[in-house]
Amino acid sequence: MSHAVLDIVGLRCERDDRELFADFDLRLAAAEAMQLRGPNGAGKTTLLRCIAGMHPEYEGSIRLLGAPVSGERLLFVGHRPGISGLLSAADNLRWHLDLAGWRGAGTVVSAALDRVGLCGYDEVPCQQLSAGQQRRVALARLALPTAEVPLWLLDEPFTALDDAGLELISGLMAERLAGDGAILFTTHQPAPELPGLGTRWIGAAA
Amino acid sequence: MMASAADERSLWVLFRGQLRRDLKLAFGQPSELANPLAFFVVVITLFPLGVSPEPGVLAGMAPGVLWIAALLATLLGLEALFRRDRDDGTLEQMVLRAQPLYLPVVARMLAHWTVTGLPLTLLAPLLGGMLNLAPEARLPLMLGLALGTPVLVLLGGVGAALTVGLRAGGVLLALLVLPLFVPVLILGVSAAELASSGLPPSGPLLWLAAGASFAITTVPFAIAAALRIGVEVG
Amino acid sequence: MKYIPDGLRRLWHRMGSPRWFFETTGSWVPWLGGAAALLIAVGTVWGLAFAPPDYLQGDSFRIIYIHVPAAYLAQAGYILMAVCGVILLVWRMKLADMVMTAVAPIGAAFTFLALATGSIWGKPTWGTYWIWDARITSVLILLFLYLGIIGLRRAIERPEAAGRACAILAIVGVINIPIIKYSVDWWMTLHQPATFSITAAPAMPPIMWVPLLLNVLGFNLLFAVAVIQGTRTEVLVRERRTRWVNDLCLRETA
């Protein structure tokens, strides 16, 4: 375990002609979680997208377990749910399993939906669910076996969730940390109780 | 050796999963499936009304009219090809997670062709009959469409992927892809025209087959590269 | 890249620097521009006033002194864009994107010039300004391809994304250009077997082709100057927030 899970050195990144980061360093070890905080527009989402490889205009180095970042070793939950409203929750999750090339039994899908409190909603098209329930479907990905990757990047995961939902998701996050994963997330809500949680402010100094 | 067999199965899972999802989405929206077809039929109907109902005149222009209508119907379906996936974030998950991206892209295009190019191909002989197309030209017309519409869908897919995040995507998409459609149009129309004048249509059909194999193997890479840019935009 | 000698690799990297390009090419522009003007002036005056009329087409053939170089550069420009596109996608060289940005409108302008002169030539030759001749049709489609690239670049706000998107489109386009050209040629032979074409004319005497050669060279230089100037502008726009551009502006305004 000599490598940090995530190691960002000297990141410089701009968006729309505005410099968001300069000389930004961040290190995240296994079983560590970090909450990114900062005002709107500080670049929290851009940072997550940089790490995920969806914002290539940066300078500096971002390494995942000592290697260049590759999509199959991280899990990204963004503002957009990654869930198709026309398909059922189960179909959506099955597609997420297929994307990762997962070959095990399909029963894990209903197990994951159970975990996020959506038991019995398997076959309902997602657009008929409430906003909070849709959020839960999106976050049910965290309970799939394909979520057992070194790094989670969660962008505002708690939006639209009720207290029970928040509890469920924090539980999933704690499990991942116990499994030696690392989590980098943003939220404007009070952070849940997690072991090894750190906080990093960005954009506040300016 | 075990590992490589397992990898192969993963790749198959990836391809099949995407295909299953996209077909489910397509057949879950019957109107989207029917609209390009209805458009195809309506455009064909306009020609006898706008040009001439004379059987001889119609027969002469039938191959061109059918092909241009098929081309426009394909174009019509392209705009929405990746847009919904982009808006709900499934596109960024696909780009991020799929290794290699080539496979789900091929599956996506195959699914799209199944609901656009294939029905157009099957419907074409019927509409050819309505336009008084020579009976011996109907099979070459169908074969031409069967080989040509995959190329149209793939080239169109590049345009759709390049314009996926853009506000004024629709018109730009037409400008980007219609010039690229020219060879397919020419070859497809010639096959039908040669056949209706009693000549063997095999030349243009073989060229179309060559073009289709080339496009199927190479164009998905361009689509994948364009999609990577598409998810960056926002 | 491992087997490329160090010196070459360093040269390649230096060439990739927009600043290096800007500072090196500054002194070239007047020379290239002057040479272009001289060559085009001599070639055009010679071609229009002193070359003998063609035995078949009379004086109308003289438009080839503009048409041929323009048509050739129209195609070369697109190929140049595709080459820049490959360099951008493979080596991520920003300068290639800037060149590509500069070439698009210039190439489109040359394509339009080729179309316009072709159509003017068509009037005395075919009795109409527009005919669906294979070559002219191909050039028209080439113009559409250029307009697509320009439209795509304008539609994408972030220049880096626009550059890579245009690179993909240019590469797909350049593979299609010969296919389009041959399919259109073949189409025309099916539909109008005997069109009059310049290539069918007998070999030209030197007094006719030397001015053409001068104009081809001159147009090449003109194209190069336009692309260099366009790229220099693009370099300044894209690097406007770097220190060297700011220093340059201070020096220029002081």
Side-chain angles (χ1 to χ4, degrees):
Chain A
M1 299 309 291
S2 58
H3 288 300
V5 174
L6 179 66
D7 199 0
I8 301 177
V9 180
L11 186 74
R12 206 188 77 84
C13 175
E14 51 187 52
R15 197 187 61 199
D16 305 329
D17 281 354
R18 208 159 55 83
E19 191 170 78
L20 291 172
F21 309 102
D23 262 335
F24 181 86
D25 296 341
L26 189 147
R27 210 177 143 87
L28 204 55
E32 265 184 9
M34 186 168 287
Q35 179 188 9
L36 291 173
R37 305 197 63 177
N40 294 123
K44 301 184 294 292
T45 296
T46 305
L47 177 62
L48 293 185
R49 295 182 73 87
C50 271
I51 299 168
M54 286 189 289
H55 188 100
E57 284 104 47
Y58 65 81
E59 289 157 32
S61 113
I62 301 179
R63 295 179 85 76
L64 181 59
L65 290 167
V69 177
S70 73
E72 74 231 75
R73 298 168 83 182
L74 60 82
L75 190 127
F76 175 82
V77 179
H79 284 296
R80 297 199 180 94
I83 293 294
S84 172
L86 298 166
L87 294 177
S88 68
D91 282 340
N92 270 304
L93 292 185
R94 216 167 286 137
W95 174 71
H96 277 284
L97 286 175
D98 292 337
L99 262 191
W102 197 76
R103 300 188 302 272
T107 47
V108 292
V109 167
S110 15
L113 285 170
D114 281 358
R115 279 298 306 269
V116 296
L118 286 175
C119 188
Y121 287 97
D122 300 31
E123 298 304 327
V124 182
C126 287
Q127 58 189 7
Q128 293 173 20
L129 301 174
S130 74
Q133 286 173 319
Q134 288 188 24
R135 197 69 202 158
R136 286 181 183 214
V137 177
L139 289 165
R141 275 164 34 211
L142 304 179
L144 291 174
T146 48
E148 286 165 20
V149 288
L151 178 65
W152 283 4
L153 300 171
L154 312 178
D155 199 0
E156 299 286 348
F158 308 120
T159 311
L161 285 182
D162 54 14
D163 289 345
L166 211 144
E167 196 90 345
L168 286 167
I169 304 310
S170 338
L172 286 169
M173 288 167 79
E175 269 175 39
R176 185 81 283 262
L177 291 173
D180 266 350
I183 304 175
L184 188 62
F185 68 101
T186 70
T187 183
H188 288 290
Q189 282 148 313
E193 300 270 313
L194 289 169
L197 175 66
T199 303
R200 179 69 181 265
W201 286 85
I202 49 179
Chain B
M1 290 313 283
M2 286 295 284
S4 83
D7 285 348
E8 260 170 45
R9 259 187 73 200
S10 285
L11 295 180
W12 168 241
V13 165
L14 173 59
F15 178 82
R16 190 193 55 188
Q18 184 71 32
L19 188 64
R20 191 167 53 190
R21 169 185 184 268
D22 289 336
L23 285 176
K24 239 178 206 171
L25 272 174
F27 287 104
Q29 299 284 96
S31 67
E32 271 178 42
L33 185 66
N35 283 349
L37 277 182
F39 173 84
F40 185 51
V41 177
V42 171
V43 168
I44 298 289
T45 315
L46 292 179
F47 276 88
L49 300 174
V51 184
S52 156
E54 196 82 27
V57 177
L58 284 179
M61 64 180 200
V65 166
L66 285 162
W67 262 96
I68 291 173
L71 216 101
L72 295 177
T74 309
L75 188 66
L76 200 66
L78 285 172
E79 215 202 318
L81 181 58
F82 297 115
R83 180 146 300 172
R84 196 170 42 216
D85 284 3
R86 178 185 183 275
D87 292 345
D88 63 23
T90 44
L91 189 64
E92 67 187 15
Q93 291 297 329
M94 180 173 113
V95 169
L96 202 62
R97 211 72 205 275
Q99 299 281 344
L101 185 52
Y102 178 85
L103 283 178
V105 166
V106 173
R108 186 93 187 76
M109 302 318 292
L110 178 61
H112 186 69
W113 179 79
T114 313
V115 297
T116 57
L118 183 62
L120 287 180
T121 305
L122 297 176
L123 205 59
L126 182 72
L127 293 168
M130 286 166 69
L131 290 181
N132 202 32
L133 180 70
E136 59 272 22
R138 285 177 201 164
L139 186 64
L141 175 77
M142 263 183 93
L143 282 174
L145 283 167
L147 293 167
T149 47
V151 183
L152 298 183
V153 165
L154 284 163
L155 288 174
V158 179
L162 286 172
T163 54
V164 67
L166 308 179
R167 255 165 276 129
V171 186
L172 182 61
L173 173 61
L175 177 63
L176 298 189
V177 301
L178 284 178
L180 301 177
F181 285 178
V182 166
V184 175
L185 174 70
I186 288 177
L187 290 169
V189 173
S190 335
E193 282 196 345
L194 285 174
S196 52
S197 53
L199 294 166
S202 50
L205 287 180
L206 287 172
W207 277 112
L208 272 179
S213 353
F214 183 66
I216 289 165
T217 44
T218 57
V219 177
F221 288 109
I223 299 177
L227 286 177
R228 283 186 200 283
I229 302 169
V231 299
E232 284 164 17
V233 179
Chain C
M1 294 295 275
K2 208 176 1 180
Y3 303 103
I4 298 173
D6 258 7
L8 249 179
R9 202 185 312 173
R10 268 200 302 275
L11 180 71
W12 178 254
H13 276 285
R14 215 173 46 195
M15 276 170 57
S17 146
R19 180 182 180 177
W20 175 87
F21 179 87
F22 188 88
E23 285 168 355
T24 311
T25 54
S27 56
W28 299 1
V29 170
W31 292 101
L32 289 173
L38 187 70
L39 283 167
I40 293 173
V42 172
T44 306
V45 170
W46 186 346
L48 294 188
F50 299 103
D54 185 70
Y55 76 105
L56 248 180
Q57 304 175 51
D59 281 329
S60 67
F61 97 97
R62 294 180 196 278
I63 206 153
I64 65 161
Y65 294 115
I66 310 289
H67 177 78
V68 169
Y72 146 73
L73 283 165
Q75 295 177 43
Y78 202 94
I79 295 168
L80 178 60
M81 279 201 302
V83 170
C84 288
V86 172
I87 293 174
L88 176 68
L89 292 180
V90 176
W91 289 286
R92 300 179 181 267
M93 189 194 270
K94 282 183 182 167
L95 184 62
D97 184 26
M98 296 171 186
V99 174
M100 197 163 58
T101 314
V103 171
I106 298 165
F110 275 86
T111 313
F112 184 77
L113 187 63
L115 267 185
T117 50
S119 146
I120 292 168
W121 176 76
K123 182 66 181 165
T125 313
W126 293 317
T128 167
Y129 281 114
W130 188 260
I131 200 159
W132 291 95
D133 162 70
R135 201 171 299 123
I136 281 191
T137 310
S138 297
V139 175
L140 181 64
I141 293 167
L142 182 64
L143 181 64
F144 295 155
L145 291 175
Y146 270 115
L147 294 180
I149 297 250
I150 295 170
L152 186 62
R153 185 172 292 276
R154 295 203 162 189
I156 303 179
E157 279 160 26
R158 281 167 45 250
E160 292 84 0
R164 278 178 301 142
C166 288
I168 293 171
L169 186 62
I171 292 165
V172 173
V174 90
I175 295 168
N176 265 277
I177 282 178
I179 302 174
I180 292 171
K181 196 172 155 40
Y182 282 112
S183 63
V184 171
D185 279 354
W186 179 69
W187 178 244
M188 294 306 160
T189 55
L190 281 186
H191 284 256
Q192 27 172 272
T195 50
F196 184 86
S197 74
I198 299 179
T199 43
M204 290 183 194
I207 196 164
M208 284 165 90
W209 66 252
V210 171
L212 181 59
L213 184 69
L214 293 179
N215 259 14
V216 167
L217 288 174
F219 268 75
N220 262 310
L221 290 179
L222 176 65
F223 186 85
V225 168
V227 170
I228 288 172
Q229 274 296 26
T231 308
R232 288 167 60 81
T233 314
E234 197 61 28
V235 168
L236 291 184
V237 171
R238 300 255 187 115
E239 307 261 297
R240 63 186 176 281
R241 275 166 298 112
T242 60
R243 181 172 298 159
W244 74 269
V245 174
N246 286 325
D247 288 349
L248 185 78
C249 292
L250 289 176
R251 237 181 300 140
E252 292 288 313
T253 47

